């Protein structure tokens, strides 16, 4: 197996497993306001997040950025809480994201949700970097490995959000659940987990 295939697989399984539950919870919060018909917007959103974390992951792995792991452990659940807060405020006002007038003055990737996802991705990328640096060892210029790992993470994220959207479709259509209730429940659950995570990381 080539280095590219190895790190592609490592990136995929790093995000698509329960040990990365903080990132899984973030993806749940990120996708909560959307339905299956919004899949293009969700892909753009997830890709924006990937662009953000790819930048800091590369910079930190190559040694251009120094950071406090303790601070990142605190900031990651904060990004989840902020995402949930936006969801809850919109659901509470009765305005889902799909109901926002689609004037499209900017390309899809430059919409406010996508920019926020990219900014939050910068934080999560630093969280990924510790794991990747352990894998790379003394490899000082891991260009191929970085590319493959990021691509693997992106594929894992797309699979996760596909499952979230599919679950939402079943709940909303199959059980005729109100969309507002779905947003409130999923975002509330994500916020609860993030709060526990924040308290744990702050006290450790």
């Amino acid at each position: 197996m080539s280095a590219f295939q190895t790190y592609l697989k490592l990136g995929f399984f790093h995000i698509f497993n329960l040990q990365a539950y903080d990132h899984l919870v973030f993806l749940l919060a990120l996708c909560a306001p959307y339905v299956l018909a919004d899949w293009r917007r969700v892909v753009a959103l997830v890709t924006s997040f990937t662009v953000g974390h790819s930048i800091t992951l590369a910079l930190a792995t190559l040694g251009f950025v120094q950071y406090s792991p303790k601070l990142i452990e605190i900031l990651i659940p904060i990004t989840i809480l902020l995402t949930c807060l936006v969801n809850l405020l919109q659901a509470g006002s009765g305005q889902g994201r799909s109901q926002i007038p689609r004037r499209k003055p900017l390309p899809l990737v430059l919409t406010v949700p996508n920019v926020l996802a990219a900014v939050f991705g910068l934080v999560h990328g630093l969280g990924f970097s510790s794991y990747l640096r352990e894998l790379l060892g003394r490899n000082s210029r891991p260009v191929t490995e970085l590319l493959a790992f990021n691509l693997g993470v992106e594929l894992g994220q797309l699979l996760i959000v596909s499952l979230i959207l599919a679950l939402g479709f079943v709940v909303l259509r199959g059980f005729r659940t109100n969309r507002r209730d779905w947003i409130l429940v999923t975002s509330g659950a994500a916020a609860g987990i993030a709060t526990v995570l924040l308290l744990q990381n702050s006290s450790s």
Side-chain angles (χ1 to χ4, degrees), residues 92-163:
S93 66
Q95 183 182 48
R97 286 182 181 172
S98 65
Q99 296 172 302
I100 298 174
R102 298 187 180 184
R103 301 173 188 173
K104 294 186 180 178
L106 294 172
L108 183 59
V109 294
L110 296 180
T111 59
V112 172
N114 290 66
V115 172
L116 288 176
V119 172
F120 290 161
L122 296 174
V123 176
H124 286 250
L126 296 175
F128 288 135
S129 64
S130 298
Y131 171 76
L132 184 56
R133 281 185 297 182
E134 290 179 2
L135 293 175
L136 291 170
R138 298 182 179 179
N139 191 340
S140 59
R141 290 291 180 270
V143 177
T144 300
E145 291 84 350
L146 274 169
L147 177 61
F149 187 83
N150 280 316
L151 182 57
V153 169
E154 173 73 348
L155 293 175
Q157 290 177 158
L158 290 175
L159 178 56
I160 291 166
V161 298
S162 297
L163 295 175

Side-chain angles (χ1 to χ4, degrees), residues 3 20 45-46 99 136 160 164 169 180 189:
L45 199 64
V46 172
Q99 296 172 302
L136 291 170
I160 291 166
I164 293 172
F169 179 82
R180 177 176 175 274

Side-chain angles (χ1 to χ4, degrees), residues 1-203:
M1 183 180 293
S2 68
F4 185 90
Q5 292 174 319
T6 298
Y7 280 86
L8 179 72
K9 184 177 179 180
L10 287 171
F12 178 86
F13 285 107
H14 180 61
I15 190 68
F16 196 72
N17 71 75
L18 295 179
Q19 292 182 348
Y21 71 93
D22 52 345
H23 301 292
L24 299 179
V25 174
F26 178 78
L27 291 174
L28 174 62
L30 201 63
C31 298
Y34 298 95
V35 294
L36 193 58
D38 299 321
W39 69 268
R40 290 182 181 85
R41 300 171 68 84
V42 174
V43 169
L45 199 64
V46 172
T47 301
S48 298
F49 176 67
T50 299
V51 170
H53 76 61
S54 297
I55 292 172
T56 48
L57 175 60
L59 292 176
T61 302
L62 295 173
F64 293 114
V65 173
Q66 302 298 322
Y67 65 95
S68 167
K70 175 69 175 179
L71 177 61
I72 298 304
E73 289 178 355
I74 294 175
L75 289 178
I76 286 177
I78 289 177
T79 64
I80 300 172
L81 286 171
L82 290 175
T83 304
C84 292
L85 178 61
V86 173
N87 294 345
L88 294 172
L89 289 175
Q90 289 185 344
S93 66
Q95 183 182 48
R97 286 182 181 172
S98 65
Q99 296 172 302
I100 298 174
R102 298 187 180 184
R103 301 173 188 173
K104 294 186 180 178
L106 294 172
L108 183 59
V109 294
L110 296 180
T111 59
V112 172
N114 290 66
V115 172
L116 288 176
V119 172
F120 290 161
L122 296 174
V123 176
H124 286 250
L126 296 175
F128 288 135
S129 64
S130 298
Y131 171 76
L132 184 56
R133 281 185 297 182
E134 290 179 2
L135 293 175
L136 291 170
R138 298 182 179 179
N139 191 340
S140 59
R141 290 291 180 270
V143 177
T144 300
E145 291 84 350
L146 274 169
L147 177 61
F149 187 83
N150 280 316
L151 182 57
V153 169
E154 173 73 348
L155 293 175
Q157 290 177 158
L158 290 175
L159 178 56
I160 291 166
V161 298
S162 297
L163 295 175
I164 293 172
L165 291 178
L167 176 61
F169 179 82
V170 171
V171 172
L172 293 172
R173 293 292 183 88
F175 295 94
R176 300 192 180 278
T177 303
N178 183 277
R179 184 172 176 180
R180 177 176 175 274
D181 293 340
W182 167 255
I183 296 173
L184 290 174
V185 170
T186 53
S187 298
I193 296 173
T195 300
V196 173
L197 185 61
L198 178 60
L199 293 174
Q200 290 177 341
N201 293 341
S202 299
S203 61

